Amino acid sequence: MSEFRLRSAEIIRRRYDGQEEDVEAGGRYDVLTAIVEINLFESIFKPYMTGSIAMVDSSAFSSIINFQGQEIINLQWSVGDKEFDRSFYIYGVKSQDKSQSGTTSTLVLGIIERHGYLSKFMRMDGSRAGNVSSIIGSIFNDMGVTKFASENAHQSMRIMENNRTPIEIIQWLTDRATGATGEPMFVYATMPVDDEDRFAPNVKMRSLGTMLNDHPWEDDEVFRYTSVSGDTFPRFERDNLLIWNVNMLEHDDVMVLADRGALQSTYINIDPFTRSVDYTDFNAQTHFENKKQNGSNIYEYPMFDFNFRIDSNDDSLTVANMPSTYVSGVNVSGAFADYPAYNEEPNVSDQVMRISRESDLSMLEREVMDVHIWGYHIAIGDSERGVGTTIALAVPKDQPSYTPSANVEDKKRSGRFLIKSIRHQMNNINNDYYTICRVARTDSPDPINSRDRNEQRPT
């Protein structure tokens, strides 16, 4: 039994009047045997999926189709017993090479979901008012996206569309949306698990807190990095949760994180109607401690040593008391009776939520890794496993251990991580299906100053 099997791949070309061409007229092309590899990309920062398709053309269909970036491709594949149907627009040919014999060519097509494609050609000019989540939902509805699941954002506002594209407006609103406690919200697309309208895009809007509490795997299901080749084991064994490769990206750059508001920020609020200027300090340490006191398991331990002093002098300020960013905003009191305008908030405390959002976002850049795992484990299951969910990882320390009872896991690289993005790599030649998951830690495994933080301890 193969892990991945591509069952159907069909390119649809439109007529000049917008209708699909008849099959007899060459409007549909079966390219199943020409596809070598499919790559699909998901990210919590993008409200649509993108990808690429590598093909070997030995039947000259690329000369017949004459790609213009205006075609549709329908894909159907299965992973184990689960089937997937997705429809994409081909927006361009990334590369094309002809063989020396001149009888074949290889090409790579760029693909994108319909609403991502459509947004590039739309300009919106009007106004909308209401909860940010409702506004975003109405914009998706205008683009024909019927599967949009959302939490309510804390903010309600009135916006002017100002001749922007739908995706630009959605991303602009998402950058200003928070949950009730100031956590950032994300609008992203992923592959659905249900069988209803499987070709339709699947878009969500969720807060960081909801994401971090979404555990699609069982508590005892931990992906482990091992030197033993995965080919030694059957690929479909549920307990063989192997990590093939770990790539640790640039991380722990405190200067960059400080610029993003990870420590302390000062918010300057200007109200030209009352001619007042207010200053409000936001302390990230207090922010994270409040989350922990409220019963949140998101930040078990802070990821910074907030008591760190840049100078050795005991009288010097700690990093937690040194404002690293300044944010200013104009809050026009009484401009609208029901909704504030544009990015305004009704009061300064709600404005500070946007600083809180930036502080939380900085944590997603603190410790980032790329982990390679079998795509089978992402695809199976009754709940969605993908971007916006958490995954448990176990990565061993670099040095060997001579004590059988010792804890040999690298604490900093092991634990629960949030999946920020996924590259689905599906090979149609040998039926392999890998995923490269970009994950981010959201808390420290131990108190940051613990003496035995990196020492082996009996389990």
Side-chain angles (χ1 to χ4, degrees):
M1 181 170 62
S2 299
E3 178 179 346
F4 163 79
R5 184 175 296 277
L6 184 62
R7 299 191 175 277
S8 174
E10 187 179 50
I11 293 178
I12 301 174
R13 187 175 62 181
R14 304 280 188 180
R15 295 195 315 224
Y16 288 111
D17 58 4
Q19 302 297 317
E20 294 180 12
E21 293 186 359
D22 296 332
V23 176
E24 292 78 9
R28 290 175 177 264
Y29 302 88
D30 184 355
V31 294
L32 175 63
T33 58
I35 292 179
V36 177
E37 184 176 278
I38 300 173
N39 287 275
L40 299 179
F41 303 95
E42 303 178 44
S43 171
I44 60 173
F45 300 105
K46 281 192 175 182
Y48 52 85
M49 291 179 61
T50 61
S52 63
I53 298 178
M55 310 175 72
V56 174
D57 180 11
S58 58
S59 57
F61 68 82
S62 59
S63 299
I64 300 173
I65 297 177
N66 188 23
F67 289 105
Q68 300 181 49
Q70 297 173 308
E71 297 76 29
I72 298 172
I73 184 166
N74 293 331
L75 302 172
Q76 298 181 12
W77 70 89
S78 61
V79 181
D81 297 329
K82 184 166 289 187
E83 296 183 356
F84 296 86
D85 298 350
R86 301 301 290 162
S87 181
F88 296 91
Y89 272 65
I90 298 172
Y91 65 83
V93 179
K94 290 180 172 292
S95 65
Q96 184 168 4
D97 298 311
K98 291 191 72 68
S99 64
Q100 290 184 344
S101 64
T103 58
T104 61
S105 63
T106 60
L107 66 158
V108 178
L109 304 177
I111 59 176
I112 189 172
E113 286 191 300
R114 176 185 178 275
H115 59 286
Y117 184 94
L118 180 63
S119 177
K120 295 293 184 182
F121 305 96
M122 293 180 65
R123 289 295 185 273
M124 309 188 75
D125 190 12
S127 65
R128 299 177 192 246
N131 186 272
V132 169
S133 302
S134 299
I135 296 175
I136 292 176
S138 68
I139 296 174
F140 276 125
N141 186 66
D142 291 345
M143 291 191 291
V145 177
T146 58
K147 298 177 68 174
F148 175 63
S150 174
E151 301 176 18
N152 277 336
H154 174 75
Q155 291 78 10
S156 294
M157 64 176 65
R158 184 189 304 271
I159 68 165
M160 300 295 292
E161 294 173 336
N162 293 338
N163 200 33
R164 290 176 292 181
T165 69
I167 295 300
E168 286 175 344
I169 298 173
I170 288 171
Q171 292 177 330
W172 185 89
L173 288 168
T174 304
D175 289 342
R176 287 154 177 80
T178 69
T181 60
E183 292 177 356
M185 300 194 75
F186 302 89
V187 179
Y188 58 98
T190 185
M191 287 189 286
V193 295
D194 57 67
D195 294 330
E196 298 180 3
D197 197 7
R198 292 184 293 181
F199 279 106
N202 186 48
V203 187
K204 299 179 180 179
M205 182 175 185
R206 299 203 299 172
S207 67
L208 178 62
T210 301
M211 288 180 173
L212 295 179
N213 285 285
D214 188 351
H215 300 168
W217 286 276
E218 299 294 334
D219 291 339
D220 59 348
E221 291 183 294
V222 180
F223 287 82
R224 299 184 180 278
Y225 182 76
T226 174
S227 59
V228 178
S229 171
D231 291 332
T232 308
F233 304 100
R235 296 178 181 177
F236 292 98
E237 291 293 333
R238 291 289 299 274
D239 54 348
N240 290 335
L241 304 177
L242 300 180
I243 299 174
W244 291 84
N245 185 43
V246 177
N247 179 25
M248 301 171 189
L249 307 179
E250 183 178 356
H251 56 274
D252 293 328
D253 191 332
V254 177
M255 295 177 65
V256 171
L257 296 173
D259 287 339
R260 294 176 177 175
L263 299 173
Q264 176 166 301
S265 302
T266 296
Y267 175 70
I268 306 171
N269 179 68
I270 304 171
D271 189 341
F273 276 19
T274 61
R275 297 183 179 181
S276 62
V277 179
D278 296 325
Y279 295 84
T280 302
D281 288 332
F282 172 82
N283 188 293
Q285 181 182 23
T286 303
H287 168 66
F288 297 136
E289 289 176 351
N290 288 339
K291 287 181 178 290
K292 187 175 180 181
Q293 291 173 1
N294 291 334
S296 173
N297 61 355
I298 298 174
Y299 302 98
E300 182 66 21
Y301 297 104
M303 297 177 66
F304 293 99
D305 180 2
F306 288 100
N307 295 317
F308 173 75
R309 298 177 185 274
I310 296 179
D311 298 321
S312 59
N313 189 346
D314 291 338
D315 295 331
S316 64
L317 293 175
T318 64
V319 293
N321 294 318
M322 300 177 67
S324 58
T325 57
Y326 288 85
V327 182
S328 61
V330 177
N331 184 19
V332 183
S333 60
F336 294 94
D338 298 322
Y339 302 104
Y342 302 111
N343 61 330
E344 296 174 358
E345 296 287 354
N347 53 60
V348 175
S349 62
D350 285 338
Q351 286 273 19
V352 174
M353 279 192 174
R354 288 178 55 192
I355 304 177
S356 167
R357 174 185 181 276
E358 295 302 318
S359 183
D360 285 354
L361 284 174
S362 68
M363 289 299 177
L364 299 182
E365 303 297 330
R366 173 70 180 185
E367 295 176 8
V368 181
M369 298 189 300
D370 281 345
V371 294
H372 300 214
I373 62 177
W374 284 115
Y376 175 79
H377 299 296
I378 295 289
I380 64 174
D382 297 328
S383 61
E384 294 185 20
R385 299 176 172 184
V387 293
T389 63
T390 61
I391 186 171
L393 306 176
V395 178
K397 295 180 179 179
D398 293 334
Q399 71 271 24
S401 172
Y402 300 98
T403 307
S405 62
N407 181 3
V408 296
E409 292 181 0
D410 185 341
K411 296 180 184 179
K412 193 171 184 179
R413 310 302 172 198
S414 305
R416 191 165 291 279
F417 291 75
L418 174 70
I419 301 177
K420 296 171 54 180
S421 63
I422 296 180
R423 172 186 174 186
H424 302 266
Q425 186 176 359
M426 309 171 189
N427 191 296
N428 193 33
I429 303 301
N430 53 24
N431 296 329
D432 282 339
Y433 176 19
Y434 297 94
T435 54
I436 304 174
C437 302
R438 178 156 296 181
V439 300
R441 180 185 285 285
T442 54
D443 64 358
S444 176
D446 289 298
I448 201 72
N449 287 326
S450 174
R451 287 180 175 272
D452 60 352
R453 183 170 188 260
N454 291 312
E455 293 178 3
Q456 294 179 349
R457 295 181 298 176
T459 55

